[in-house]
Amino acid sequence: MSATPQKNRATRRVLAAAAGLATVGALVAAMPAGAQDKSQGNGQHKPADTVDVQLLSFNDLHGNLEPPAGSAGTVNETQADGTTKAIPAGGVEYLASSLRTARKGHPYSITAAGGDMVGASPLLSGLFHDEPTIEALNKIDLDVTTVGNHEFDEGATELARLQNGGCHPVEGCYEKGTKFKGADFPYLAANVTNEKTGKPILKPYTVWKKNGVKIGFIGVTLEGTPNIVTANGVKGLKFHDEIETINKYAKELDRQGVKSIVALIHEGGAPASTSYNYDCDSSGAGDGISGPIVDIAKGITPKVDALVTGHTHQAYVCTIPDPAGNPRMVTSASSFGKLYTDTTLTYDRRTNDIVRTSVKSASASNPKAVNHIVSRDQPKANDMTALIARWNALAAPIANKPQGYITADINGRGSTAPEKPLGNLIADAQLEGLAPADKGGAVVAFMNPGGIRADLVYKATGSEGDGVVTYGESFTVQPFTNMMNVVDLTGAQLVTALQQQVSGSNEASPKILQVSKGLTYTLDMTKTGAARVVTDTIKLNGEAIDPAKTYRVAMNEFLAGGGDGFAALGQGTNKLVGPSDLDVFNAYLAAHSTAAAPLAPPATDRITVIQ
């Protein structure tokens, strides 16, 4: 990004940093007179009593610069007749156009994000350690974001580089004569501290200012980040309670005279409907929202006026009362840039605070917060098209190489079933790759569902032709490049691991492991906790699991470290480290498919589910 646009941008707004805690300098500049100020008869200007501040927000972009393919690139919309329609959405060319159009006529406009802007990214961004996404967010004029768990995939040092700039320490600069400038918006990490110093690793908050209007933003990620990120990614870091952290810094902002506060929280909930236009405040039986964000919202001080959330990749605009019983908006905009939320914050100049109302405000026809589809019917943003083309040219020699062939979509992320066709394919690939005695001697393989980031889509995404799986597409499915591990586990530990899918930290939101062929069992979801796994049905190649026997088990390094609440998998011994999960997957595609004999989606008949 050239110096001139950054300079122009700095004159449009100010982001004042928290004293003594900044890792990047504050942007300070003079602001033009507000268009909403009232004029007196003598020609002097008197500020209006209230100012409508537009808050545009989105979350969980995950480096999806190009429109996401298949079911990952659609948004559900409930129609007037009650039916649901899947609408194609997303892509930064359209996100940039949507945000720029939305800002028109709003002199007070802020754009904020709820974390996971990068990490688990498609090849176009991931191959370059997400520099393309940071560049795109700079051009989109993002004002502020919190960190998400995926911002820690490559560790705190790499996160600091994304903030401050500089070329990659191993791979260097990707474009000749061009140094990566870093994010020109602040990443906030109020509840992530250095274990040695006890201080936040990035700014805990920032204050947006214009014409006397001041709005503070506090950013936190979920306290449980260490459970869902590899150990190396969170080494030397401590993650603190979201509520306690936000309340602490809200008090600090209040003492500074900042009475209007928005919390950016990388944690979320699950609305009763997957449609983006669902009325989250409807009062019918089973309506509303559930999940961690509900208790978090109820515990956050009334000093905070709105919550922008994420992590669960859901779409919702809800009113959850604060501890004083006052209505407070809680929003989330799905994922991958498919939606953005437009929230009106009515700022009272006399109190310097937000006038709080419910989502619907006084008039249902004029809601205070609305999710909008990032439609692909609108014109593309030319600067984003150019950015994508530039980085695609660098990625093309790797991205376009065919890896295999398929007969139809093989759903992973797009499948809502516990057992996913793509999950079975990945687990089978891992078993085959690590079964030879010199490769580990695995007899079974487990894949974590959260590590499957997309579907394998039959329709061509470029010039490769329908049914061709390119390296870029297989990378998008498994972007973490986790190394494969093979370990010894007892039959008892295997059973415990299966029980941990639906108990403990995973009871409220089960994480069903994808299993390789030969492993079968029944899951009874009418029961609770560990009892959901019917233990006497667990068989490997038709034989009951022997609790005392030792089994060689293949899995990625994340699971082998006990990630996602699978402590039993972290107890493995006699570890052998194999190739990366992506290399194993691509090798399987090459071995089992040709243009003349493409691979069909595998059957999902390994886990019997009783609902």
Side-chain angles (χ1 to χ4, degrees):
M1 199 169 163
S2 66
T4 306
Q6 288 200 35
K7 183 180 178 184
N8 290 342
R9 185 173 173 216
T11 62
R12 287 201 298 273
R13 58 176 181 264
V14 173
L15 285 167
L21 288 167
T23 57
V24 291
L27 302 174
V28 182
M31 292 295 178
Q36 292 187 356
D37 290 352
K38 290 181 179 177
S39 178
Q40 292 181 319
N42 59 7
Q44 295 178 341
H45 289 273
K46 178 184 177 183
D49 288 339
T50 61
V51 173
D52 279 348
V53 178
Q54 180 189 56
L55 175 61
L56 302 176
S57 57
F58 58 99
N59 51 277
D60 296 276
L61 181 64
H62 290 288
N64 278 262
L65 301 179
E66 296 176 295
S71 61
T74 61
V75 171
N76 288 335
E77 181 181 72
T78 299
Q79 307 298 297
D81 62 0
T83 59
T84 302
K85 181 180 179 183
I87 299 176
V92 293
E93 294 161 297
Y94 304 110
L95 178 62
S97 290
S98 289
L99 294 174
R100 289 165 183 169
T101 300
R103 289 176 190 138
K104 290 177 182 175
H106 295 275
Y108 295 83
S109 184
I110 311 166
T111 304
D116 276 6
M117 294 296 97
V118 301
S121 306
L123 187 78
L124 179 59
S125 187
L127 186 64
F128 306 106
H129 296 276
D130 285 310
E131 289 182 22
T133 296
I134 298 298
E135 182 186 344
L137 293 171
N138 286 344
K139 290 178 181 290
I140 281 176
D141 285 348
L142 182 64
D143 285 300
V144 58
T145 183
T146 188
V147 293
N149 54 288
H150 282 285
E151 262 83 18
F152 294 94
D153 284 346
E154 295 188 50
T157 302
E158 174 63 6
L159 174 56
R161 186 183 76 87
L162 292 181
Q163 176 71 89
N164 299 322
C167 297
H168 193 270
V170 176
E171 297 177 24
C173 302
Y174 295 111
E175 295 176 294
K176 192 174 180 181
T178 303
K179 182 181 176 183
F180 175 58
K181 292 183 169 62
D184 63 10
F185 51 88
Y187 258 112
L188 304 181
N191 68 329
V192 187
T193 58
N194 182 299
E195 280 185 344
K196 291 181 180 176
T197 67
K199 293 182 178 179
I201 61 164
L202 294 168
K203 293 196 294 185
Y205 60 80
T206 191
V207 181
W208 183 92
K209 297 178 182 178
K210 182 172 181 178
N211 296 343
V213 174
K214 294 187 293 185
I215 298 179
F217 289 85
I218 303 167
V220 299
T221 189
L222 70 158
E223 185 182 7
T225 291
N227 299 324
I228 53 175
V229 173
T230 56
N232 283 340
V234 294
K235 192 174 181 181
L237 305 178
K238 190 172 171 71
F239 291 77
H240 301 268
D241 182 83
E242 303 95 336
I243 298 172
E244 291 174 8
T245 303
I246 292 169
N247 290 352
K248 169 187 170 182
Y249 287 112
K251 189 181 290 184
E252 191 169 309
L253 283 167
D254 186 62
R255 284 199 302 265
Q256 295 174 16
V258 179
K259 306 295 183 184
S260 299
I261 302 171
V262 175
L264 308 176
I265 307 172
H266 192 71
E267 179 60 289
S273 167
T274 59
S275 292
Y276 87 95
N277 57 340
Y278 165 65
D279 180 3
C280 196
D281 286 351
S282 49
S283 56
D287 276 335
I289 185 170
S290 59
I293 199 60
V294 177
D295 287 337
I296 291 172
K298 289 177 178 176
I300 289 174
T301 173
K303 294 180 191 299
V304 174
D305 299 292
L307 313 182
V308 172
T309 72
H311 187 56
T312 57
H313 291 202
Q314 301 297 306
Y316 49 84
V317 174
C318 303
T319 305
I320 301 176
D322 69 18
N326 299 316
R328 183 163 58 191
M329 283 177 281
V330 180
T331 68
S332 176
S334 184
S335 63
F336 300 169
K338 294 181 289 189
L339 296 176
Y340 71 92
T341 311
D342 190 336
T343 300
T344 301
L345 301 174
T346 301
Y347 185 92
D348 190 326
R349 288 187 179 275
R350 295 162 298 186
T351 63
N352 297 325
D353 207 349
I354 301 299
V355 179
R356 284 252 226 109
T357 60
S358 66
V359 164
K360 290 191 178 67
S361 178
S363 166
S365 62
N366 182 30
K368 286 287 187 177
V370 183
N371 273 331
H372 295 285
I373 292 182
V374 175
S375 165
R376 297 182 195 169
D377 294 335
Q378 64 186 311
K380 297 178 179 180
N382 292 333
D383 57 340
M384 293 297 144
T385 304
L387 181 150
I388 289 170
R390 204 179 87 241
W391 287 102
N392 260 333
L394 290 173
I398 297 171
N400 297 337
K401 189 176 179 182
Q403 302 299 311
Y405 304 84
I406 55 176
T407 63
D409 287 0
I410 304 180
N411 284 342
R413 199 74 177 180
S415 169
T416 56
E419 182 184 352
K420 307 173 192 304
L422 188 50
N424 286 358
L425 184 65
I426 291 170
D428 287 351
Q430 293 178 352
L431 176 60
E432 182 171 296
L434 298 161
D438 62 335
K439 303 293 185 185
V443 296
V444 66
F446 291 136
M447 175 64 190
N448 57 307
I452 306 169
R453 304 305 300 185
D455 304 332
L456 279 184
V457 179
Y458 177 79
K459 185 176 173 58
T461 54
S463 58
E464 75 273 14
D466 290 349
V468 180
V469 179
T470 65
Y471 185 87
E473 290 166 338
S474 62
F475 182 98
T476 298
V477 168
Q478 291 198 103
F480 299 111
T481 320
N482 274 315
M483 303 311 290
M484 290 303 302
N485 287 186
V486 185
V487 299
D488 283 348
L489 288 171
T490 65
Q493 288 170 323
L494 279 182
V495 171
T496 300
L498 293 176
Q499 291 171 331
Q500 287 171 344
Q501 299 176 111
V502 288
S503 63
S505 61
N506 292 331
E507 179 161 6
S509 182
K511 291 186 173 73
I512 306 303
L513 293 166
Q514 306 299 287
V515 300
S516 57
K517 59 188 173 185
L519 184 69
T520 56
Y521 70 96
T522 297
L523 202 56
D524 186 349
M525 297 306 288
T526 65
K527 295 192 166 87
T528 58
R532 289 167 165 172
V533 175
V534 184
T535 53
D536 59 8
T537 66
I538 305 172
K539 294 182 179 178
L540 182 60
N541 301 320
E543 292 185 8
I545 293 287
D546 181 348
K549 185 178 175 181
T550 296
Y551 297 85
R552 293 290 284 166
V553 184
M555 65 194 93
N556 59 44
E557 60 186 314
F558 170 67
L559 278 179
D564 268 352
F566 291 101
L569 297 181
Q571 295 167 358
T573 58
N574 194 21
K575 179 169 73 173
L576 183 144
V577 178
S580 76
D581 51 6
L582 182 60
D583 286 345
V584 167
F585 184 52
N586 284 334
Y588 187 87
L589 291 173
H592 291 271
S593 68
T594 63
L599 194 66
T604 51
D605 54 3
R606 301 169 191 181
I607 307 171
T608 301
V609 181
I610 300 171
Q611 297 283 9

